Amino acid sequence: MTFESNYSLKLLNTFGLSVQAEYFARFNSIEELQKLLVEAKRPIMILGGGSNILFTQNLIGSVLKNEIGGIDIIDEDEQTALVQVGGGVKWHDFVIWSINNQLGGIENLSLIPGSVGAAPMQNIGAYGTEIKSVFEHLEAVHIDSLEVRIFNKDDCQFGYRYSIFKGELKGQFVICSVNFRLNKIPKFNTSYGTVENELRAMKVKVNLENISKAIIAIRQRKLPDPKDIGNCGSFFKNPTISNKQYEKLKAQFPQIVGYSIAQDKTKIAAAWLIEKAGWKGYKHNDTGVHQSQALVLVNYGQAKGKDILKLSQNIQTSVQQKFDITLEPEVNII
Ligand code: EPU
């Protein structure tokens, strides 16, 4: 639990970007974190799995890495189990643990990179499930006062790829542990088109393990593994537009992919927009747009964060010009 200086973060961000932290330290408990917070040179940045972050420069101040472990059932009844998970646990390790323990609710979130502590930050979601559906509460430490605070579901203000920790409380709290209510009698959710097809093609019965396997297979086919090609999953959020604008676009582009999400709102597949604007498979030096999923920007080796940022801005401009839609980044740009 000591500070190291000029510490390389290359292996700690899934874009694989070579940046340095002026000071760096790891913590394994709330007490260790509180000690570090007293000493740490400001500004302070908390790092989880580094899978949703684009570093465009070296970091001044301190980077603290959450390595709080532990997965424990702390309460249960006939139908559910309340599970407390350390913020430093890898999200996918927790998913595998839940499947091994026959507890349902997060199997659709298999293979999402990142840590448990970062998961509530942006209410991670995939294949028709978001963590808010199993979230009970979390424990967090205030960076300046060191106060430990409990946030229940309403406090977190979860939305699509959003929580209060990305808004009003940005940069103020460290999420140390998260409690989830998982189901002993799982309710399977295979309605997301590709999941049903995958299970049918696998010719297996629908259970937690097979849903997880199906999702892992889909993700491995479409999303590059950061171990091979640096990336942060979806770079942009899927934008929401008015039905009126959607109808207008649909007349011009009959293939456009959109899902109605409210009476007057349609969510558009950003990947479709980016692909139609001609970017899918684009490569310039070591930056690019993945050839199987246009929403994923990649680092083929020596790209700089600034190059990826520039590429993302060029994509935004061209989507704006072609479709009059503003794409917002999903990753945190530092
Ligand atoms: N599509 C294209 N071109 C592409 C890829 C997809 O046109 O290159 C179209 C397809 O028609 C497809 C639609 O876009 O039906 C949606 O594609 P996909 O199912 O791959 O999902 P997505 O909307 O691109 C979102 C999440 C992913 C999550 C998947 C599955 C966001 C920003 N992304 O992607 O999350 O895994 O759904 O649920 O909401 C992440 O957040 O990092 C992430 C990977």
Side-chain angles (χ1 to χ4, degrees):
M1 214 200 67
T2 48
F3 283 99
E4 296 184 62
S5 53
N6 300 325
Y7 191 88
S8 170
L9 300 178
K10 187 174 168 64
L11 299 177
L12 299 179
N13 74 100
T14 60
F15 258 129
L17 297 163
S18 280
V19 291
Q20 287 191 343
E22 188 181 4
Y23 294 102
F24 176 84
R26 303 167 192 267
F27 58 93
N28 286 290
S29 66
I30 288 186
E31 295 69 35
E32 283 187 9
L33 167 65
Q34 286 169 322
K35 276 189 201 144
L36 289 176
L37 289 175
V38 173
E39 292 169 28
K41 182 178 171 207
R42 270 57 180 165
I44 290 173
M45 201 202 112
I46 306 298
L47 194 59
S51 57
N52 206 40
I53 199 158
L54 176 68
F55 289 123
T56 61
Q57 56 195 320
N58 287 330
L59 278 91
I60 50 160
S62 309
V63 172
L64 309 182
K65 181 153 169 28
N66 187 346
E67 295 195 340
I68 299 176
I71 306 180
D72 300 292
I73 295 178
I74 55 168
D75 189 24
E76 55 188 316
D77 56 30
E78 268 171 32
Q79 303 204 336
T80 67
L82 184 63
V83 188
Q84 181 163 47
V85 191
V89 171
K90 277 197 187 129
W91 174 263
H92 185 64
D93 290 349
F94 172 43
V95 174
I96 296 298
W97 177 94
S98 74
I99 290 162
N100 290 341
N101 285 273
Q102 291 301 311
L103 292 170
I106 53 172
E107 58 283 358
N108 287 28
L109 304 178
S110 294
L111 213 61
I112 294 188
S115 64
V116 167
M121 286 270 180
Q122 56 151 353
N123 181 24
I124 58 167
Y127 307 101
T129 302
E130 291 179 334
I131 73 153
K132 76 169 184 196
S133 63
V134 288
F135 177 92
E136 186 96 359
H137 66 256
L138 62 79
E139 196 172 28
V141 172
H142 191 267
I143 286 183
D144 292 324
S145 71
L146 309 189
E147 169 211 6
V148 179
R149 200 164 128 189
I150 303 291
F151 289 82
N152 63 30
K153 197 187 282 192
D154 286 346
D155 298 332
C156 292
Q157 298 178 9
F158 290 124
Y160 167 61
R161 295 293 191 277
Y162 180 82
S163 78
I164 194 166
F165 303 104
K166 267 186 111 171
E168 209 183 303
L169 298 183
K170 192 175 170 147
Q172 294 187 37
F173 281 91
V174 185
I175 298 175
C176 291
S177 68
V178 187
N179 286 22
F180 300 91
R181 176 80 58 184
L182 300 182
N183 294 309
K184 292 183 179 175
I185 307 152
K187 300 174 202 87
F188 304 126
N189 174 8
T190 59
S191 54
Y192 198 94
T194 46
V195 179
E196 241 160 37
N197 297 343
E198 191 74 24
L199 282 161
R200 221 171 287 137
M202 284 162 66
K203 296 198 171 73
V204 290
K205 73 170 195 237
V206 177
N207 60 24
L208 291 180
E209 194 177 1
N210 289 331
I211 293 174
S212 174
K213 279 189 180 151
I215 283 165
I216 288 173
I218 297 169
R219 290 186 74 99
Q220 283 179 334
R221 250 194 331 264
K222 290 214 304 203
L223 299 167
D225 185 337
K227 284 195 204 93
D228 307 324
I229 305 174
N231 76 91
C232 263
S234 302
F235 192 91
F236 299 103
K237 292 192 250 188
N238 286 328
T240 298
I241 61 174
S242 69
N243 289 353
K244 201 165 151 220
Q245 189 183 1
Y246 179 59
E247 291 311 325
K248 223 173 100 195
L249 283 169
K250 189 133 183 103
Q252 214 184 337
F253 306 98
Q255 310 297 324
I256 192 167
V257 183
Y259 316 85
S260 173
I261 55 159
Q263 216 176 8
D264 181 41
K265 291 196 164 70
T266 300
K267 191 176 268 189
I268 307 292
W272 187 90
L273 299 171
I274 297 168
E275 181 173 341
K276 281 297 161 247
W279 291 98
K280 192 167 178 171
Y282 170 89
K283 186 170 184 294
H284 177 70
N285 297 331
D286 270 354
T287 64
V289 178
H290 195 245
Q291 69 272 19
S292 319
Q293 226 301 2
L295 200 46
V296 178
L297 305 191
V298 294
N299 169 14
Y300 285 108
Q302 303 305 317
K304 296 256 176 295
K306 283 201 165 69
D307 304 332
I308 295 171
L309 180 62
K310 185 79 199 129
L311 170 62
S312 75
Q313 289 162 341
N314 290 341
I315 292 171
Q316 281 172 312
T317 305
S318 97
V319 166
Q320 186 81 51
Q321 281 168 354
K322 193 169 169 79
F323 301 105
D324 192 22
I325 292 179
T326 307
L327 289 182
E328 273 178 46
E330 199 239 87
V331 303
N332 299 305
I333 298 166
I334 305 278

